[in-house]
């Protein structure tokens, strides 16, 4: 599962944002089910940032959000992200030079039930 939290950060606040993003990434990285994470900045517009994390499953990510350090260091930062869908399930992947591997969706066939 991939989580993309996008931010628009004014230039005069970027130093503080980076420190808070590092603390958030550290807190998330300590949670079970965390696979990887990175803080990225847009090349074309340096006010646009993304915190990208990968998780074993939706459940692992949701449980991680309940951790004390995550609530203290990550949740306040994540609440400042652009209001848009941020959690994505992987439906196909490929390693370098490898074939595409298709994965079934974890979503219920009828989510309204």
């Amino acid at each position: 599962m991939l989580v993309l939290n996008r931010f628009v950060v004014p230039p005069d606040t970027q130093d503080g944002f980076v420190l808070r993003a590092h603390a958030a990434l550290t807190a998330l990285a300590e949670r079970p089910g965390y696979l990887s994470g990175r803080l990225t900045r847009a090349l074309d517009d340096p006010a646009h940032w993304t915190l990208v994390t990968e998780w074993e499953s939706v459940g692992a990510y949701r449980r991680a959000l309940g951790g004390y350090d995550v609530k203290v260091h990550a949740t306040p930062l994540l609440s400042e992200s652009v209001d848009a869908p941020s959690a994505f399930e992987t439906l196909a992947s490929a390693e370098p030079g490898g074939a595409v591997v298709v994965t079934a969706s974890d979503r219920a066939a009828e989510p309204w039930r």
Side-chain angles (χ1 to χ4, degrees), residues 56-96:
E56 286 178 356
S57 65
V58 172
Y61 174 64
R62 289 184 176 162
R63 284 187 296 278
L65 293 177
Y68 177 78
D69 284 346
V70 171
K71 287 181 180 180
V72 170
H73 298 291
T75 301
L77 181 81
L78 299 178
S79 72
E80 298 172 17
S81 66
V82 173
D83 186 17
S86 61
F88 299 87
E89 63 179 336
T90 300
L91 299 177
S93 61
E95 297 295 324

Side-chain angles (χ1 to χ4, degrees), residues 1-56:
M1 188 191 126
L2 183 68
V3 179
L4 302 165
N5 295 101
R6 298 179 316 142
F7 303 87
V8 179
V9 184
D12 59 331
T13 64
Q14 288 188 0
D15 290 343
F17 170 79
V18 168
L19 290 174
R20 293 185 308 123
H22 289 179
L25 194 54
T26 298
L28 292 166
E30 293 173 354
R31 303 303 302 164
Y34 174 91
L35 299 177
S36 69
R38 54 204 160 277
L39 178 63
T40 67
R41 182 173 57 190
L43 295 173
D44 297 333
D45 185 346
H48 290 258
W49 294 73
T50 304
L51 182 64
V52 181
T53 56
E54 291 185 78
W55 299 86
E56 286 178 356

